[in-house]
Amino acid sequence: MKLTVFQFEGTPEELDASEALRALTGHGHASKELPGKTGRVEGVAGWVPGVAEEGQETVRRLLERGPAAELFVTFLRETTQWPQVGVHGIKRKNSEPGEPYDYSRYLRLRKQGSQLGGFAYVYAERSSINLRLSYTEQELQAMGVGSARVLTTGNREYRVSVDLTGRTSLDEALRLARIAYDAT
């Protein structure tokens, strides 16, 4: 048996925000960027914030086909700066233990430690965001959110969707994502 011991000093917020600590403790799937990466995104050729190295190439290819890649990357850049947010690929239903995550369909944004699962499912190829919210069209209108729509199919907990088309839709997606994040 091998035992490695580390001692870290800092406030809980500093430790939660530490990428070096995440890398050392093996939480690579939640990593916002790997050591040596700048985190700057130049089009879709750059580093996609929050996505583990194993999924970078796949997500960049999806973004190349997406209608609003820069807006999608900006959404990820913003949300991955929130405390304890991880971006995860999906485990396929019939995957074997140790198989890598699947990044080819969608990504799950999740607050680490939450028992509720993800607060958003994001689709790079479509530049769309499905949020863990169940508002009606009228409630969204009352909130002043015009770019979101209510889904009638799929998981009933993820009924609000925003297609990123411009700055307004991005701002509204971020606002709604924060509500979903705070509720998880």
Side-chain angles (χ1 to χ4, degrees):
M1 176 193 303
K2 181 177 179 182
L3 176 66
T4 304
V5 177
F6 296 99
Q7 181 175 349
F8 301 97
E9 292 184 22
T11 66
E13 292 79 18
E14 291 170 331
L15 296 174
D16 285 344
S18 172
E19 289 302 319
L21 181 58
R22 287 185 190 188
L24 287 171
T25 58
H27 291 95
H29 292 294
S31 176
K32 294 177 187 156
E33 50 186 68
L34 294 177
K37 298 288 183 182
T38 65
R40 295 191 181 118
V41 177
E42 309 284 330
V44 295
W47 189 254
V48 182
V51 177
E53 185 172 25
E54 70 184 15
Q56 284 289 320
E57 184 178 333
T58 301
V59 174
R60 281 194 301 265
R61 277 196 316 262
L62 292 171
L63 285 169
E64 288 172 1
R65 299 189 299 250
E70 285 297 321
L71 295 172
F72 186 85
V73 169
T74 301
F75 178 86
L76 285 180
R77 185 181 305 118
E78 293 284 328
T79 55
T80 56
Q81 291 179 20
W82 298 345
Q84 299 175 297
V85 170
V87 178
H88 305 274
I90 305 302
K91 272 288 189 193
R92 286 177 245 129
K93 280 189 176 182
N94 298 323
S95 64
E96 298 291 323
E99 271 190 53
Y101 287 98
D102 180 7
Y103 294 87
S104 65
R105 293 187 50 221
Y106 56 88
L107 304 171
R108 180 172 51 118
L109 275 64
R110 182 173 186 269
K111 185 188 325 183
Q112 302 303 316
S114 169
Q115 300 301 312
L116 296 176
F119 65 89
Y121 285 90
V122 297
Y123 298 80
E125 188 171 25
R126 298 187 329 229
S127 300
S128 73
I129 316 296
N130 285 7
L131 298 155
R132 185 183 184 93
L133 297 170
S134 59
Y135 292 127
T136 65
E137 294 285 347
Q138 293 79 16
E139 290 171 322
L140 291 170
Q141 292 296 325
M143 294 170 65
V145 176
S147 61
R149 67 185 188 288
V150 175
L151 302 175
T152 57
T153 60
N155 188 318
R156 67 177 179 80
E157 293 177 337
Y158 295 89
R159 287 297 172 103
V160 175
S161 184
V162 178
D163 293 327
L164 300 176
T165 58
R167 187 65 207 191
T168 300
S169 62
L170 173 62
D171 290 343
E172 290 178 352
L174 287 167
R175 180 175 159 212
L176 291 170
R178 189 60 192 219
I179 293 169
Y181 166 86
D182 289 341
T184 57

